[in-house]
Each structure stands twice: as structure tokens, then as C-alpha cells.
Amino acid sequence: MANLFSMRNEYMKSGLRRADLEDNPIKQFELWFNQAIDAKLIEPNGMTLATVGVNMLPSIRVVLLKSYDEDGFVFFSNYNSKKALQIEQNPLCALHFAWLGLERQVKIEGSIEKISKTASLKYFFSRPKGSQIGAWVSHQSEIISSRSLLEAKFEEIKAKFSKGEIPFPEFWGGYIVKPKNIEFWQGGKDRLHDRFEYVLMEDGSWDIKRLAP
């Protein structure tokens, strides 16, 4: 068994100072997100989504960020999935980006809601046909007996929609996470990490505070 006590990396890439930060966290996110893309990190738009249903047991999974702006962060999912049920029960969630190759993390907390059907339609028809079929095939989070059953269903749907456009599945679409708090974390030497939290104020401005590591 590996000695986990001895597994340790020193974070030396860069620090983070208040003067380095944009006043708007979305602009700061865009700066770091573009740097993660430029660094060729694996799935830089991969983000952990945490939700909690009425049983109060947190659930996490990785989803893909598909757009973001001043309103929030958008991803897509099956509306009958476990996460969808938890979102319906409790419309509060958290997102986490782990850009460890740059010794960075971003944490986002806020409310979550469905986006418009028009926006979901636009994204669905921009997807490759295989992904469109996949949305129809998977009854997300339900128990299935085998992968072969899933593959057979894929071929069945593929044949069914072989002519013309694949129709939009009404049980599928996007969610937007509207941030209330956004934290930027930069690894530091001797575990003296730099952490800054943006908190949304009632007037729509953002208050910025440094947090202890």
C-alpha cells in the first residue's frame, strides 16, 4: 500500500494578490478558464456539480460547462435523472473546477434552474448525431441489466431516426447555476494558499474578501 503521508507536492507556480483580480468574478473566471484551455488541461470545462435532496445526503458528479455569462453557468442533463430530482427538491447547488495542472481551483455556490426550451433546442441541434441519439437512449440514473442492452437500444433509436432530423427529447435540457459566491484558489508554498471569495451583494455588486488557507 502506498504511503499517503509521503505524497506531497509543493505549489510553486504563482501566487494570487488582490491587485491581480478583476472586480467582476465572471471576468476573472474567463481569464482563468482561457488559461486552462491554453495549458491544454484535460476537459477544462469539466466541473463537479454537488446537489442535495430532501434526504440531506450530498451527491456529486462531473458535468460539462457549455456556456457562461453574467447570468450564470450552463450545463445539460436528463430532466428525469437523480440530479434533476434533487434540484427539484432543493434548488441550491455548488460547482467546482479543479485545474490542478495550474495549481488552481474555482468554487461556485448558488441557485439552479432550468434554462428556456429555446436555448436547450439550440444546443441539442448543435450536438453530433451520436450524442443526440444518446440523449434518447439513456434513462439516466436508472438501473440497467447490461451494456449490451444499452447498445441495442442505441441501434434501435438510430434506425428509427435514420431519415431526417432527430427530434428533440422533451425530457432533456439545460440548467443554469446562478452564482452567489465564487472563490478562486491558487496553490501556495508551505500550504499558504491564496483564496479570494466574491460575494454577490443586494445591489448587484461583488464584495471581495481574502480567506485564510
Side-chain angles (χ1 to χ4, degrees), residues 59-115:
S59 183
I60 60 172
R61 74 291 285 165
V62 174
V63 297
L64 296 179
L65 177 69
K66 286 301 176 180
S67 70
Y68 66 91
D69 57 23
E70 296 292 335
D71 291 329
F73 300 80
V74 174
F75 68 94
F76 292 83
S77 181
N78 186 304
Y79 285 153
N80 296 321
S81 64
K82 178 179 178 179
K83 75 173 79 65
L85 176 61
Q86 291 183 322
I87 289 168
E88 185 177 333
Q89 294 171 344
N90 175 16
L92 299 175
C93 70
L95 299 173
H96 179 257
F97 292 85
W99 295 322
L100 301 183
L102 296 175
E103 300 174 356
R104 289 174 175 172
Q105 302 179 66
V106 178
K107 184 176 72 174
I108 300 164
E109 298 174 343
S111 61
I112 184 169
E113 61 188 53
K114 291 178 180 178
I115 64 173

